[in-house]
């Protein structure tokens, strides 16, 4: 039976009969099941690490190549101060993008590995919403988007302020990104009998119903938005 456990082979002794041998067979089968489960979990973790490295490589390839290109261009002594300023600004934009991608990927990895402790406490939800709104305010202003918060009161809800704001910010960033200039974004907070419903709506391009099952897949982006910058990490 021990050989069968070590070789990952089926244990042939019955554990349904009475007697010491049957009792040992039952124990051996439980040990084998436990070991196989641990092996499976280790393989899954290994695959997640491989996938994370692959994802990082894929996402960082273009901005890193751009940074190297702008660095090479800046070495040209014939550039005017205006051209140098232009390329430095381009390089800064790509560096910010790299920083954002890395932070997002590590955040995602921590969430998948359950390495983040979600502590919750009763807090007013409007303050959390304002944290999220502050992250998109400048982009919304540039596109002349009108953001309206509709709420009959400021309910105290059990939540984690940091990570709930992160969820709200991702939804708002999408609303800003995929809305036309002069559009409208509405946030509605509605206190119901059993829970509080928080809704985000905009008059942007929307998501086709055929893609509802795919939008939470890592790095998935609709073909309709291929020409708009994004990584598909947010949702």
């Amino acid at each position: 039976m021990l050989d069968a456990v070590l070789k990952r082979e089926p244990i042939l002794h019955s554990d349904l009969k009475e007697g010491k041998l049957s009792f040992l067979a039952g124990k051996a089968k439980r040990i084998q099941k436990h070991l196989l489960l641990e092996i499976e979990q280790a393989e899954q973790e290994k695959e997640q690490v491989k996938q994370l490295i692959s994802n990082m490589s894929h996402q960082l390839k273009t901005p890193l190549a751009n940074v190297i290109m702008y660095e090479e261009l800046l070495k040209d002594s014939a550039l005017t101060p205006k051209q140098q300023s232009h390329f430095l600004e381009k390089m800064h934009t790509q560096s910010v993008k790299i920083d954002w991608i890395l932070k997002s990927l590590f955040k995602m990895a921590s969430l998948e590995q359950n390495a983040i402790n979600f502590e919750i406490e009763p807090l007013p939800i409007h303050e959390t919403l304002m944290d999220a709104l502050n992250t998109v305010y400048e982009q919304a202003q540039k596109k002349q988007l009108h953001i309206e918060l509709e709420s009959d009161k400021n309910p105290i809800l059990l939540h984690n302020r940091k990570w709930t704001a992160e969820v709200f910010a991702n939804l708002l960033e999408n609303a800003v990104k995929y809305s036309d200039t002069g559009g409208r974004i509405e946030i509605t907070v509605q206190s119901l009998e059993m829970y509080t419903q928080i809704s985000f709506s905009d008059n942007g391009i929307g998501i086709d119903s055929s893609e509802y099952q795919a939008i939470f897949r890592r790095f998935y982006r609709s073909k309709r938005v291929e020409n708009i910058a994004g990584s598909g990490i947010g949702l």
Side-chain angles (χ1 to χ4, degrees):
M1 282 189 282
L2 288 173
D3 285 338
V5 170
L6 291 169
K7 294 175 183 177
R8 301 188 206 177
E9 295 174 352
I11 295 169
L12 300 176
H13 294 279
S14 173
D15 59 341
L16 300 175
K17 299 176 183 177
E18 290 185 6
K20 290 180 180 179
L21 191 60
S22 187
F23 175 77
L24 287 170
K27 284 274 188 182
K29 285 181 180 181
R30 287 197 292 276
I31 290 168
Q32 187 180 58
K33 187 178 179 181
H34 179 72
L35 289 172
L36 289 173
L37 185 63
E38 285 195 343
I39 291 166
E40 185 183 345
Q41 287 174 342
E43 289 294 332
Q44 286 176 353
E45 287 175 9
K46 182 181 174 183
E47 189 59 36
Q48 284 179 344
V49 171
K50 282 169 63 179
Q51 198 168 6
L52 176 63
I53 293 168
S54 173
N55 290 339
M56 287 175 67
S57 173
H58 171 73
Q59 292 296 317
L60 294 170
K61 189 176 180 181
T62 302
L64 277 172
N66 287 338
V67 167
I68 293 166
M69 178 184 71
Y70 292 132
E71 184 191 14
E72 290 296 322
L73 289 168
L74 285 164
K75 289 177 182 176
D76 187 353
S77 57
L79 290 175
T80 65
K82 187 176 180 180
Q83 288 173 320
Q84 287 180 334
S85 177
H86 173 73
F87 288 131
L88 279 169
E89 188 179 336
K90 291 279 188 183
M91 184 185 284
H92 175 71
T93 301
Q94 294 301 313
S95 299
V96 169
K97 186 176 181 182
I98 290 168
D99 180 61
W100 182 85
I101 290 170
L102 282 171
K103 284 178 180 174
S104 297
L105 285 167
F106 286 127
K107 214 179 285 180
M108 185 173 63
S110 298
L111 287 166
E112 288 181 350
Q113 295 296 325
N114 295 319
I116 294 172
N117 185 25
F118 289 92
E119 293 182 359
I120 61 171
E121 56 184 317
L123 295 166
I125 198 65
H126 280 195
E127 278 76 353
T128 306
L129 280 165
M130 291 311 297
D131 289 346
L133 282 166
N134 286 334
T135 65
V136 301
Y137 183 73
E138 285 186 20
Q139 300 100 297
Q141 269 201 323
K142 285 178 184 176
K143 294 185 76 171
Q144 299 172 16
L145 297 172
H146 177 69
I147 301 177
E148 184 176 312
L149 172 61
E150 185 182 323
S151 176
D152 50 356
K153 53 184 177 179
N154 183 9
I156 304 295
L157 304 178
L158 269 175
H159 68 287
N160 179 292
R161 182 166 174 173
K162 177 188 173 185
W163 288 103
T164 308
E166 178 97 6
V167 173
F168 294 161
N170 280 328
L171 293 170
L172 287 167
E173 282 169 6
N174 277 0
V176 170
K177 186 187 294 184
Y178 301 116
S179 292
D180 293 327
T181 301
R184 183 184 186 87
I185 299 169
E186 292 181 3
I187 305 166
T188 307
V189 180
Q190 187 179 6
S191 297
L192 303 173
E193 189 176 341
M194 299 296 291
Y195 62 93
T196 296
Q197 179 175 291
I198 302 167
S199 306
F200 296 80
S201 63
D202 60 71
N203 54 2
I205 60 174
I207 300 170
D208 193 88
S209 58
S210 63
E211 295 183 293
Y212 286 170
Q213 299 300 318
I215 57 173
F216 292 105
R217 208 164 65 215
R218 188 188 299 171
F219 300 116
Y220 177 82
R221 298 194 76 221
S222 172
K223 290 181 179 179
R224 298 165 65 196
V225 296
E226 285 178 344
N227 62 326
I228 302 174
S231 61
I233 296 176
L235 291 181

